[in-house]
Amino acid sequence: MRKMILDDHGDTVAPFSYEGGAVRVVNGTLVAEDCQFTDNVGLYGGAVDVGVNGFARFERCVFVGNVAASQNADDKYKAGGAVRFDGGDGVITDCTFRANHGAEGAAVHVANGATVRFERTVFVDNEDPSSTGGGANHLRADDAGTRASLFDCAFTTTNAAKRGGEMYAGVGSTIELSPYTSALEAQSSGPGLFVLWSEPPPPSPPPPPSPP
């Protein structure tokens, strides 16, 4: 899809009850170019959820004000404020994630063995509202075999109380960074691996064909 605006999507009868407030990808492919995802709500993946055998490619897209949450006041905010990759892979190029809200990856959560590449993407003021301190947690990777690779990306948090720990790598997961700077290293946390992405990224691969 190209030049589409998806805003205020989600279940209005039982809010925050579905995965992917605007789009859910399972056993298929999503390609979004020059699109805007704004103020969508979902249980996991406030705007988009990419499940097992799914693939999503976002180019020049903007994600603003999306929320991943449940109706449970004691455990409200969930994974992937804007996008969750739960076993499905993806490529995110020249995108912006701003003011999204979620607990595990306020902007993006990568898990369940997914591989996602980020190129020239900016994360600004994404936040876990349930956290009273610590990092903004814009990006989080979890589970064995999960890999998030970042090339020429940037993280900005204007709320001083939320600075630090902008990226989190859980046990068994890896976050690759290029360039691997001391500033980016200072923004990382978690028991997973943070390593230099030693080779320049090849051209973004085409999405796999959708199954019949």
Side-chain angles (χ1 to χ4, degrees):
M1 58 186 185
R2 298 185 67 245
K3 297 183 178 180
M4 293 187 63
I5 298 175
L6 287 81
D7 59 350
D8 295 311
H9 287 274
D11 184 9
T12 58
V13 176
F16 311 115
S17 62
Y18 291 111
E19 298 168 344
V23 180
R24 187 162 191 246
V25 185
V26 179
N27 296 320
T29 297
L30 169 68
V31 177
E33 299 175 349
D34 302 295
C35 295
Q36 183 169 323
F37 300 81
T38 305
D39 296 332
N40 300 289
V41 297
L43 179 61
Y44 296 98
V48 181
D49 184 77
V50 185
V52 175
N53 296 324
F55 180 92
R57 185 172 72 196
F58 302 97
E59 297 184 8
R60 302 175 303 278
C61 293
V62 178
F63 298 81
V64 180
N66 301 286
V67 180
S70 73
Q71 297 184 65
N72 183 349
D74 295 327
D75 185 26
K76 182 174 182 179
Y77 290 96
K78 298 295 185 178
V83 182
R84 181 180 74 154
F85 292 90
D86 186 31
D89 299 333
V91 177
I92 298 175
T93 305
D94 298 314
C95 292
T96 298
F97 292 86
R98 182 187 300 273
N100 301 284
H101 295 85
E104 298 174 350
V108 181
H109 187 223
V110 184
N112 197 19
T115 297
V116 180
R117 185 167 72 203
F118 301 81
E119 301 174 7
R120 300 176 301 277
T121 290
V122 178
F123 299 82
V124 182
D125 286 342
N126 303 285
E127 186 176 336
D128 173 10
S130 65
S131 174
T132 57
N137 191 16
H138 301 275
L139 168 67
R140 178 168 175 142
D142 280 305
D143 306 322
T146 295
R147 183 175 298 269
S149 302
L150 291 83
F151 173 73
D152 199 18
C153 296
F155 298 83
T156 300
T157 303
T158 58
N159 182 348
K162 295 288 184 178
R163 290 176 187 163
E166 273 86 347
M167 297 171 286
Y168 183 93
V171 174
S173 68
T174 300
I175 293 180
E176 297 179 309
L177 302 170
S178 177
Y180 192 97
T181 66
S182 58
L184 282 175
E185 184 177 23
Q187 294 172 334
S188 63
S189 64
L193 295 177
F194 286 86
V195 300
L196 171 66
W197 192 3
S198 58
E199 298 182 3
S204 300
S210 299

